[in-house]
Amino acid sequence: MPKIVDHDARREEIAEALWRVVRRDGIRAASVRTIATEAGWSAGAVRYYFPDQDGLLSFAMDLVSRRVTERISAIEPKGGSVQTVVLRYLDEVLPLDAERRAEFDVWLAFMAQARAESDAGTLQEHVDTVHNGLRQLCDSLLHSLADAGVLKDGLDLRREVELLHALLDGLALHAAIQPDRTTPARLRQLMRRHLDSLMTEKP
Amino acid sequence: MPKIVDHDARREEIAEALWRVVRRDGIRAASVRTIATEAGWSAGAVRYYFPDQDGLLSFAMDLVSRRVTERISAIEPKGGSVQTVVLRYLDEVLPLDAERRAEFDVWLAFMAQARAESDAGTLQEHVDTVHNGLRQLCDSLLHSLADAGVLKDGLDLRREVELLHALLDGLALHAAIQPDRTTPARLRQLMRRHLDSLMTEKP
């Protein structure tokens, strides 16, 4: 009888090994070889799923999207003011802990790779997916604030979505560059200040 | 008589060859070999100045700092309102044309490399230099607005410096990811809107 292989379970195992390597040694350390060692497999077995470095990077990037999406769907959208709820969502996309910093590092490596390659079609698609997903989140958060009637009059929401989105990525970048200056507490403070600047003065 | 070599001129020649390669083929294409070919030298001659890829990347990063600094010192700080002058400075650090996009690509590649290497001491120093320089620029621009009395009351300037700085980098990143959406015109519009939000209402 042929051996039945659960491919999904194997991919999941590779995902977990990949993530351990990225968290411990950084994304550059993630090669077919190091991940095989981490998972206790042969390089050939890993290569069956991911023939090259680009495939592996794409897989890592998928993993990041999935993790972020899962955390966001797990958020309880009730409880507290609308601003509190909005900040709860933003917390999930800011690099506030080692998990989320590792995710940002994968994203950054991926992005730099996509920029540097002349034929980066597939890589660029992944970058676009994550990028558009985050913009969509910014869009729906600002619209909830607008619907709740707490935004200042006369704001151009489309413009504000782009500014919020750029600010999120810029802050994440700064936390990666100088973690001692742009600490998690500082990130949250700056994000709160930005939201405050969009909202009507409290009476 | 020994041959006299003008090392500065040779470095300058390498710099120009490096820049042509980066603009044409992206930072990843910049290796000792491709730059030697571009400059019409032997790889050995280039390697005399830059023994490895990291040395070359550091040189590229220095070049970016130098170019930005030169453009900024060339700005005429008089003429127009203080806001116009501030926007003139910000234009020089936003990726509004091919030159400035190439600079941002170098910076991004450099930054990703520094993040990915476990022993990235020298790379990180370069990242810090450029990062701190841009923050300093944001700081002095916001202080000129404050001195001119056009900022809203009660702003925490240190916080606003960090927000402006993060916004600049975030916007540059977005222009790199989706140039068709985050166009040069859009970049300037968003930056203008952000500055407006900090300034007192015009009478």
Side-chain angles (χ1 to χ4, degrees):
Chain A
M1 227 178 89
K3 201 165 138 201
I4 309 268
V5 177
D6 182 340
H7 290 294
D8 285 342
R10 290 207 131 191
R11 283 176 167 268
E12 205 51 50
E13 256 184 75
I14 299 182
E16 281 163 22
L18 167 66
W19 205 252
R20 286 197 299 275
V21 170
V22 168
R23 278 205 53 179
R24 197 182 54 223
D25 306 318
I27 177 73
R28 177 126 337 194
S31 66
V32 168
R33 200 166 294 275
T34 55
I35 289 163
T37 307
E38 178 73 28
W41 295 13
S42 71
V46 173
R47 216 169 266 123
Y48 173 82
Y49 294 94
F50 308 104
D52 56 22
Q53 190 68 11
D54 275 6
L56 203 63
L57 253 185
S58 294
F59 180 64
M61 191 73 169
D62 267 346
L63 196 58
V64 168
S65 310
R66 224 167 56 196
R67 294 166 65 100
V68 175
T69 310
E70 276 168 15
R71 279 208 310 276
I72 286 182
S73 356
I75 291 175
E76 180 52 67
K78 307 262 176 241
S81 67
V82 58
Q83 193 197 6
T84 311
V85 175
V86 165
L87 287 169
R88 212 177 287 155
Y89 279 89
L90 292 175
D91 277 357
E92 293 304 332
V93 288
L94 282 171
L96 298 178
D97 59 22
E99 283 301 299
R100 285 170 280 186
R101 276 193 294 275
E103 289 167 1
F104 186 75
D105 278 354
V106 169
W107 183 83
L108 191 66
F110 200 86
M111 160 77 198
Q113 183 101 349
R115 293 292 299 157
E117 290 193 3
S118 45
D119 178 28
T122 338
L123 295 183
Q124 182 63 40
E125 260 175 50
H126 277 82
V127 169
D128 281 342
T129 305
V130 172
H131 188 65
N132 294 339
L134 189 55
R135 186 176 49 243
Q136 227 152 38
L137 178 68
C138 292
D139 189 282
S140 71
L141 294 180
L142 285 182
H143 275 91
S144 345
L145 292 172
D147 292 346
V150 295
L151 286 188
K152 281 181 179 152
D153 288 338
L155 288 183
D156 176 338
L157 268 195
R158 279 187 51 211
R159 210 147 63 177
E160 295 305 333
V161 168
E162 288 180 62
L163 284 168
L164 175 61
H165 185 191
L167 192 60
L168 268 175
D169 279 331
L171 286 174
L173 200 57
H174 289 194
I177 298 177
Q178 293 183 339
D180 294 340
R181 169 184 279 267
T182 311
T183 60
R186 190 67 176 158
L187 283 175
R188 303 189 75 221
Q189 211 175 43
L190 290 168
M191 193 40 76
R192 191 172 296 262
R193 149 70 193 143
H194 178 70
L195 281 190
D196 278 345
S197 77
L198 303 178
M199 293 170 67
T200 49
E201 310 287 328
K202 283 169 204 116
Chain B
M1 230 177 87
K3 200 165 140 201
I4 309 269
V5 177
D6 182 341
H7 289 295
D8 285 344
R10 290 207 130 190
R11 281 176 169 268
E12 204 52 49
E13 255 186 73
I14 299 181
E16 282 164 20
L18 166 67
W19 204 251
R20 287 195 300 273
V21 171
V22 168
R23 278 205 52 179
R24 197 182 54 223
D25 307 317
I27 176 73
R28 177 126 337 193
S31 66
V32 167
R33 200 166 296 274
T34 55
I35 289 163
T37 305
E38 178 73 28
W41 294 15
S42 71
V46 172
R47 217 169 264 123
Y48 172 82
Y49 295 94
F50 307 103
D52 57 22
Q53 190 69 10
D54 274 5
L56 204 64
L57 253 186
S58 294
F59 181 64
M61 191 71 170
D62 268 346
L63 196 59
V64 168
S65 310
R66 223 167 57 197
R67 293 166 66 98
V68 176
T69 310
E70 276 167 14
R71 279 207 310 276
I72 286 183
S73 353
I75 292 174
E76 180 53 65
K78 307 263 175 245
S81 68
V82 58
Q83 193 197 5
T84 311
V85 175
V86 164
L87 286 169
R88 212 176 287 153
Y89 279 90
L90 292 175
D91 277 357
E92 293 304 333
V93 289
L94 283 171
L96 298 178
D97 58 23
E99 282 302 298
R100 285 170 280 186
R101 276 193 293 276
E103 289 167 1
F104 186 75
D105 278 355
V106 169
W107 184 83
L108 191 66
F110 199 86
M111 160 76 197
Q113 182 101 348
R115 293 292 300 157
E117 292 195 0
S118 45
D119 177 28
T122 340
L123 296 183
Q124 183 63 42
E125 262 174 49
H126 277 82
V127 169
D128 282 342
T129 305
V130 173
H131 188 65
N132 294 338
L134 189 55
R135 185 175 51 241
Q136 226 152 39
L137 179 68
C138 293
D139 188 282
S140 71
L141 294 179
L142 285 182
H143 276 91
S144 352
L145 292 171
D147 292 347
V150 295
L151 286 189
K152 281 183 180 152
D153 288 337
L155 288 183
D156 176 339
L157 270 194
R158 280 187 50 210
R159 210 147 63 178
E160 295 306 333
V161 168
E162 287 180 61
L163 285 168
L164 174 61
H165 185 193
L167 192 59
L168 269 176
D169 280 331
L171 286 174
L173 200 59
H174 289 195
I177 298 176
Q178 292 182 341
D180 294 341
R181 169 184 277 268
T182 310
T183 61
R186 190 68 175 156
L187 282 177
R188 300 189 76 221
Q189 212 176 41
L190 291 169
M191 193 41 75
R192 193 171 296 263
R193 149 69 192 142
H194 178 70
L195 280 190
D196 278 344
S197 78
L198 302 179
M199 293 169 67
T200 48
E201 310 288 327
K202 281 168 206 119

